């Protein structure tokens, strides 16, 4: 009888950048909420202090800028690796809108199959691509907010300083939404978690 074998699901670079990205996003979001609360974009809305980081505006800014550079550098490494190695082509492409909608409907009904963890379904592919784009928008709009005079052309493309703040808020909300859904899916399919640590999956013959 053929013995079970171990299959590589996530290469080392993907695993390292994944966890660094998770840390950077948590720090950026929680410190960003402190910054937001100091000057709310929407007067009737603020984030609970228990979910914020930095304690006060200056402290939050220090955390935010530190995580920004970590996220940017880590993101460049991931994107370059994904393009050069063919990881994006193998894992994220192609995407069929019809297949994506079909998988989203199955996921909402709790019937989305996860038989082969080495292959992303259409809903996962779309979510990861949207996440990558949202993170890029988050960094770009953040730079426009940070240096609105020096980067005034960039800020102008985003609708000025206040427009850049709105774009930044929307991109942040999208990243948080995808992250929450991702965590829920991991909780529903717990065998996906060890593969992001070891990189390998034990496949039965």
């Amino acid at each position: 009888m053929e013995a079970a074998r171990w299959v590589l699901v996530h290469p080392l670079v993907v695993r390292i950048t994944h966890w660094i990205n998770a840390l950077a996003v948590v720090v950026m979001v929680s410190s960003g909420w402190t910054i937001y609360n100091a000057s709310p974009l929407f007067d009737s809305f603020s984030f609970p202090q228990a979910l914020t980081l930095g304690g006060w505006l200056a402290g939050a800014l220090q955390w935010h800028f530190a995580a920004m550079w970590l996220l940017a550098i880590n993101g460049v490494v991931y994107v370059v690796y994904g393009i050069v190695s063919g990881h994006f082509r193998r894992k994220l492409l192609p995407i069929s809108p019809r297949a994506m909608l079909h998988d989203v409907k199955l996921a909402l009904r709790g019937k989305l199959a996860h038989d082969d963890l080495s292959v992303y379904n259409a809903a996962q592919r779309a979510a990861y691509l949207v996440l990558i784009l949202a993170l890029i928008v988050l960094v770009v709009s953040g730079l426009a907010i940070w240096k609105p005079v020096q980067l005034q052309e960039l800020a102008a493309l985003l609708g000025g300083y206040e427009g850049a703040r709105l774009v930044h808020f929307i991109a942040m909300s999208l990243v948080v939404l995808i992250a929450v859904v991702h965590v829920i899916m991991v909780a529903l399919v717990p065998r996906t978690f060890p593969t992001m640590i070891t990189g390998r999956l034990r496949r039965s013959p």
Side-chain angles (χ1 to χ4, degrees):
M1 185 175 67
E2 184 181 356
R5 59 192 179 93
W6 291 93
V7 178
L8 180 64
V9 179
H10 303 297
L12 181 61
V13 174
V14 172
R15 283 176 278 147
I16 292 175
T17 53
H18 170 274
W19 291 114
I20 292 177
N21 189 64
L23 173 63
V25 167
V26 169
V27 173
M28 283 207 72
V29 168
S30 55
S31 60
W33 288 351
T34 303
I35 298 169
Y36 171 92
N37 287 346
S39 179
L41 187 62
F42 307 104
D43 294 334
S44 60
F45 174 78
S46 62
F47 292 98
Q49 188 174 0
L51 300 178
T52 63
L53 176 68
W56 58 310
L57 180 58
L61 285 169
Q62 291 178 348
W63 279 105
H64 205 67
F65 290 146
M68 177 190 73
W69 292 115
L70 180 63
L71 179 68
I73 294 171
N74 185 68
V76 169
V77 171
Y78 176 70
V79 170
V80 170
Y81 170 80
I83 294 173
V84 173
S85 69
H87 176 75
F88 288 167
R89 184 182 67 255
R90 292 191 304 271
K91 291 287 190 177
L92 304 182
L93 298 174
I95 294 180
S96 164
R98 178 176 295 181
M100 181 191 70
L101 291 175
H102 177 263
D103 284 354
V104 168
K105 289 178 181 179
L106 289 179
L108 292 175
R109 294 162 56 191
K111 296 182 178 181
L112 185 61
H114 294 277
D115 299 328
D116 189 353
L117 297 183
S118 64
V119 178
Y120 293 156
N121 58 55
Q124 286 176 302
R125 294 181 184 188
Y128 292 146
L129 280 177
V130 170
L131 178 60
I132 292 171
L133 293 175
L135 288 171
I136 292 173
V137 171
L138 201 61
V139 172
V140 170
S141 58
L143 290 173
I145 296 170
W146 180 33
K147 298 289 185 180
V149 176
Q150 294 88 337
L151 300 174
Q152 54 185 299
E153 291 84 3
L154 177 60
L157 288 174
L158 300 174
Y161 180 77
E162 290 301 323
R165 289 188 68 197
L166 180 59
V167 170
H168 198 67
F169 185 90
I170 294 173
M172 176 277 298
S173 301
L174 188 56
V175 168
V176 171
L177 175 62
I178 294 174
V180 169
V181 172
H182 178 65
V183 171
I184 292 174
M185 294 306 296
V186 170
L188 293 175
V189 190
R191 62 196 180 97
T192 60
F193 183 76
T195 63
M196 191 50 75
I197 298 176
T198 66
R200 297 183 180 278
L201 173 69
R202 192 170 186 269
R203 181 168 291 171
S204 301

